[in-house]
Amino acid sequence: MDKKARILQLKEEKNAVILAHYYVPDEVQEIADYIGDSFYLSKIATDIDAKMIVFCGVSFMGESAKILNPDKIVIMPDESADCAMAHMAEVEKIKNVRQQYEDVAVVCYINSTAELKVHSDVCVTSANAVAIVKALPNKNIYFIPDMNLAHYVASKVPEKHFIFNDGFCPIHHALTKQEVIEAKNEHPNAQFLVHPECQEDILSLADYIGSTSGIIDYATSSLAKEFIIGTERGVLYELRKKNPDKSFYLVSEKMICHDMKKVTLDKVIAGLENMNHQVEVTDEIRNGANHSLNRMLELGKR
Ligand code: 13P
Ligand code: SF4
């Protein structure tokens, strides 16, 4: 039996569904029941009517799914797949900022540990951060962990005062202006679509800035035929599937999240067979973090 057939068989046997982020390897995206950006995946996790969720992504995604679905079994095919940025903020600093500012909201990018979510007021993703920050009643915004997304949101919500943190995504942050200019010179007719985890000078060169789903939707509905993609290479799979008549060029061959690439078909099969690498969250963490995630889902509906 081939791997895909085995996964189908195991899914039925175990009453499981497979969720995958756009950055995991193509063959894993191909067998997923639901594929999307981090906002879509956290929303869909709450609507799923199965006993088990196999989350093909990195730790913070599985953790969020478990917090939102405490009665379901959530399995990570590779337990070590983690997002470096998720750890780049400190609870101590959050407490200090809260003491320093009276009217402050701690806004936590979903790419963060559950512990950071416990100490935050609301979560956001790159798809809804601007709208949610605008909707908050608070004047001061402490945005963790990503400084680049924070600066992008601040530019769209100038009426609020931002306190910045110093976290970043090692992949998106490393993209240089020179690399973008070289890609643009090579493909002069292409539009440049970029994720807001990139630095400000990169965003200033973009035709479109948005989440992974935003980039895919923009390219799909655009009349343009060529696009330079400024995010992780995994999105090319969905972009090319949806747009066989258009050309997509990765801005730099460096745009690879090696943690997302740890998820393989063999590990999905092993996870379903052995039900190991189950995500566990303590009641204390769950109760604390649930509030920030649910507030995002509520505000995200508006
Ligand atoms: P999205 O929210 O756009 O899916 O991005 C998640 C991510 O990890 C970006 O690096
Ligand atoms: Fe985290 Fe960056 Fe990987 Fe996204 S691409 S999961 S932000 S390390």
Side-chain angles (χ1 to χ4, degrees):
M1 188 186 289
D2 75 2
K3 291 178 188 176
K4 279 188 211 161
R6 179 72 182 134
I7 289 172
L8 268 178
Q9 186 188 50
L10 281 164
K11 270 195 328 183
E12 249 179 59
E13 228 172 76
K14 309 269 171 155
N15 187 10
V17 293
I18 299 179
L19 267 55
H21 189 268
Y22 289 125
Y23 292 168
V24 297
D26 298 0
E27 62 275 18
V28 177
Q29 294 190 44
E30 205 186 324
I31 53 92
D33 297 296
Y34 299 95
I35 163 160
D37 70 357
S38 40
F39 182 54
Y40 172 80
L41 293 173
S42 56
K43 253 190 331 188
I44 205 79
T46 61
D47 288 341
I48 279 167
D49 191 24
K51 241 171 76 187
M52 192 195 291
I53 295 174
V54 179
F55 211 121
C56 301
V58 288
S59 319
F60 76 83
M61 298 179 170
E63 225 170 42
S64 300
K66 182 68 184 175
I67 290 165
L68 293 165
N69 300 277
D71 299 332
K72 291 193 178 120
I73 297 169
V74 179
I75 287 179
M76 301 299 291
D78 188 311
E79 227 181 3
S80 72
D82 198 6
C83 167
M85 179 165 61
H87 304 269
M88 293 187 192
E90 285 152 34
V91 171
E92 246 352 89
K93 177 127 187 253
I94 297 176
K95 289 182 180 165
N96 289 343
V97 168
R98 286 198 190 279
Q99 270 183 350
Q100 233 178 310
Y101 295 88
E102 251 178 34
D103 182 23
V104 65
V106 179
V107 176
C108 184
Y109 188 26
I110 197 165
N111 296 39
S112 55
T113 61
E115 198 202 2
L116 290 170
K117 292 181 176 85
V118 170
H119 293 273
S120 302
D121 298 301
V122 63
C123 281
V124 295
T125 74
S126 53
N128 59 27
V130 171
I132 288 181
V133 169
K134 266 190 189 157
L136 291 173
N138 315 74
K139 169 83 185 138
N140 299 304
I141 305 293
Y142 180 35
F143 195 106
I144 59 166
D146 189 9
M147 62 174 160
N148 293 319
L149 180 61
H151 279 284
Y152 171 67
V153 176
S155 74
K156 299 283 173 195
V157 194
E159 64 275 22
K160 303 219 179 213
H161 171 252
F162 278 69
I163 303 125
F164 296 102
N165 181 57
D166 51 12
F168 58 89
C169 162
I171 293 103
H172 290 84
H173 188 77
L175 181 64
T176 65
K177 208 169 176 174
Q178 190 51 36
E179 285 168 315
V180 179
I181 291 167
E182 276 168 24
K184 280 177 171 260
N185 287 341
E186 211 175 315
H187 307 288
N189 298 320
Q191 292 205 346
F192 178 44
L193 318 184
V194 73
H195 198 282
E197 286 177 10
C198 292
Q199 299 191 57
E200 256 176 323
D201 62 340
I202 304 289
L203 303 190
S204 70
L205 302 173
D207 295 288
Y208 174 80
I209 302 165
S211 74
T212 50
S213 291
I215 288 174
I216 292 164
D217 292 347
Y218 178 90
T220 304
S221 59
S222 168
L223 294 176
K225 291 282 179 207
E226 291 180 68
F227 303 88
I228 297 165
I229 301 301
T231 189
E232 210 275 347
R233 70 172 313 132
V235 296
L236 295 174
Y237 175 74
E238 186 74 8
L239 280 166
R240 289 179 176 145
K241 198 168 105 185
K242 282 203 160 130
N243 301 282
D245 57 328
K246 296 181 181 174
S247 302
F248 299 98
Y249 317 108
L250 194 64
V251 64
S252 153
E253 286 307 314
K254 291 186 326 201
M255 301 299 281
I256 299 178
C257 178
H258 293 287
D259 277 80
M260 288 281 192
K261 302 303 187 225
K262 287 179 179 174
V263 186
T264 63
L265 289 182
D266 286 330
K267 290 177 192 168
V268 171
I269 293 173
L272 282 162
E273 276 176 348
N274 309 323
M275 289 172 58
N276 51 3
H277 306 160
Q278 291 189 23
V279 181
E280 303 291 351
V281 181
T282 64
D283 286 351
E284 199 188 341
I285 295 268
R286 192 183 65 241
N287 293 335
N290 211 359
H291 162 77
S292 310
L293 281 164
N294 275 314
R295 198 164 174 211
M296 169 183 80
L297 294 176
E298 264 316 300
L299 290 168
K301 276 186 200 153
R302 292 184 190 171

